[in-house]
Amino acid sequence: MSEMYGIGEMARDSGLTISALRFYDGAGVLVPAWVDPDTGYRWYGPGQRQEARLLARLRRVNMPLADIRLVLAGWSSQDTALVSTLLDAHLLRLEDGLDDARRELSTVRELLALREHPMNATGTDTTDTAQGSTPLRLTFAAPDLAAALDTVRFAVSGDPDLPMLGGVHIDIDGAEQALRLVATDRYRLAVAQLQAETAPGTAQQVIVPAALVDAMRALLTAEGEAVLTLDSDGSITLDVAGSRAAGACLDHDFPDYRRLTRLPAGRRVAVDVVALRELLTTGPTRRGPDSADVDISLLALTPDGALTVVGDADSCHADDTGSDSADPTNPGDRIAVNREFLLDALAASARDRLVLELGGPVAPLAVRLPEGEDQNRFSLLMPIRLTD
């Protein structure tokens, strides 16, 4: 046994997760040299360390499982011709797939260009560049505007390659008498709505850069009125108790967030925020797939309907009473989320009780206020797709 390696050591040495090693054992791809008949613990031989590292590399380039099995078989038998043939065939598939992706994305770009600059029957660009000339002024209670900004600020993107997501989108809808604040970094999206007294038919959309959002939030520290002014030159101003924050809005178009928020109904679970935060910070986690350097929490529901944070061997749950208990769950129903992102969403809500809406392993996780409170203030977290 001194020359054998436990599954934990094999996982650390190869870059595969423990659950991945279990999966590949069950699939007959990398079978342990010995399994303890009493405990079921897996042990691997010295020669299997190199095979596990090779398996991790093939997995990162999405080689089909059937081909991986043949590559490992050829590797162990030193059949270099077979291994080379399989590698060349997979590389050709990847290159063909990349060529297809380039063609499809080029077509999408052409269609996008037509949407940005539509042409009429005479071939003239029909893009409407006219803007209103009268500034739009809206008045809110300072604490309400502060709470709305706090709800969405955490979801602003910091990716310089996506400048259109680098701020808070303000959408004024006169028909609904509403002002919506929206932010997204692709992996999470947050929405907050305030009532806005505007003239019928008023509609305006701007993106306020993150630095200006923070300057505005710094003014909203006391009771009183906050006056938001949007000018036709693309600038925005916030006046609060004799202080002002002003600047230019981003010259970009924000994605259609309404489309992103149209979700099928999921299972709604009331949670105690303090208890859930404790479980997330102290409970089991796993690392992100491939090179994603994030801590993942696995969420699931127990048979009695409580939300759980599960690991490989045990689970604890945080229901609306804050009680903890161990309870097995169905691995197929687990939802993998970025732990830090979920903690940020819980903090942004500033509530002791929340409702999490679970649509399944591949549907966005919705974090909502309890029934009876504002349902136009919520955040969405994209789940992480696990490959094992």
Side-chain angles (χ1 to χ4, degrees):
M1 294 297 294
S2 61
E3 296 182 357
M4 303 287 280
Y5 303 97
I7 191 170
E9 186 176 1
M10 181 66 78
R12 290 189 297 272
D13 188 66
S14 67
L16 294 168
T17 64
I18 290 176
S19 56
L21 287 169
R22 290 172 177 163
F23 170 79
Y24 289 119
D25 175 17
V29 176
L30 186 63
V31 179
W34 183 69
V35 178
D36 190 314
D38 296 323
T39 66
Y41 195 79
R42 295 165 172 84
W43 293 90
Y44 295 83
Q48 291 184 295
R49 298 178 72 181
Q50 192 175 38
E51 291 185 4
R53 292 170 182 166
L54 175 62
L55 173 54
R57 292 180 182 276
L58 299 176
R59 181 170 175 261
R60 281 195 289 271
V61 296
N62 295 319
M63 177 173 277
L65 189 61
D67 286 1
I68 290 178
R69 183 180 287 108
L70 289 176
V71 168
L72 291 179
W75 186 272
S76 64
S77 64
Q78 298 185 359
D79 187 348
T80 56
L82 172 63
V83 173
S84 295
T85 299
L86 291 168
L87 296 180
D88 290 342
H90 184 59
L91 184 58
L92 181 59
R93 282 195 298 269
L94 293 177
E95 291 171 345
D96 289 343
L98 183 58
D99 289 339
D100 289 342
R102 285 198 178 103
R103 285 192 293 271
E104 295 298 337
L105 292 178
S106 294
T107 301
V108 172
R109 289 185 185 279
E110 293 171 1
L111 295 173
L112 180 62
L114 290 175
R115 290 178 64 87
E116 291 176 339
H117 304 288
M119 308 297 287
N120 62 19
T122 63
T124 336
D125 191 336
T126 62
T127 302
D128 184 6
T129 58
Q131 294 183 347
S133 58
T134 304
L136 178 61
R137 289 184 176 85
L138 302 172
T139 301
F140 307 97
D144 292 345
L145 184 55
L149 288 175
D150 290 342
T151 297
V152 303
R153 176 61 180 87
F154 78 97
V156 172
S157 172
D159 188 344
D161 293 331
L162 297 170
M164 71 291 295
L165 305 183
V168 172
H169 177 62
I170 294 182
D171 180 9
I172 299 170
D173 188 334
E176 297 184 13
Q177 294 285 286
L179 176 144
R180 294 186 187 88
L181 305 176
V182 188
T184 182
D185 62 0
R186 294 183 298 161
Y187 308 106
R188 47 190 173 172
L189 180 145
V191 179
Q193 179 171 308
L194 296 170
Q195 289 304 116
E197 297 296 331
T198 62
T202 301
Q204 195 161 346
Q205 298 184 5
V206 297
I207 306 174
V208 184
L212 183 53
V213 170
D214 294 338
M216 290 178 170
R217 179 60 182 87
L219 301 183
L220 300 167
T221 57
E223 300 289 336
E225 288 188 343
V227 180
L228 197 65
T229 304
L230 283 76
D231 289 305
S232 58
D233 62 358
S235 63
I236 188 169
T237 303
L238 178 68
D239 292 292
V240 184
S243 298
R244 169 173 289 187
C249 296
L250 297 177
D251 187 20
H252 297 288
D253 293 325
F254 198 78
D256 182 3
Y257 69 90
R258 290 180 178 84
R259 181 186 182 93
L260 302 176
T261 59
R262 297 184 191 124
L263 304 176
R267 177 138 180 208
R268 297 169 70 93
V269 183
V271 297
D272 177 276
V273 173
V274 174
L276 180 55
R277 185 183 295 116
E278 177 69 15
L279 288 177
L280 289 169
T281 54
T282 63
T285 60
R286 59 179 295 171
R287 301 303 291 171
D290 299 329
S291 60
D293 187 21
V294 299
D295 287 326
I296 295 174
S297 291
L298 296 177
L299 307 180
L301 294 177
T302 62
D304 61 358
L307 184 70
T308 71
V309 178
V310 298
D312 289 330
D314 56 15
S315 63
C316 298
H317 74 262
D319 58 16
D320 204 26
T321 65
S323 62
D324 295 340
S325 69
D327 202 340
T329 56
N330 182 357
D333 294 333
R334 295 178 182 181
I335 300 173
V337 296
N338 183 311
R339 179 178 67 171
E340 180 183 355
F341 286 0
L342 181 52
L343 287 171
D344 287 344
L346 297 178
S349 70
R351 293 291 195 280
D352 294 329
R353 296 284 190 274
L354 287 172
V355 173
L356 268 59
E357 187 170 359
L358 291 74
V362 297
L365 169 70
V367 181
R368 303 185 185 277
L369 298 184
E371 297 291 344
E373 296 194 46
D374 186 2
Q375 295 303 300
N376 290 309
R377 185 170 297 182
F378 61 91
S379 57
L380 305 177
L381 305 180
M382 290 302 299
I384 295 175
R385 182 178 179 273
L386 301 178
T387 55
D388 49 63

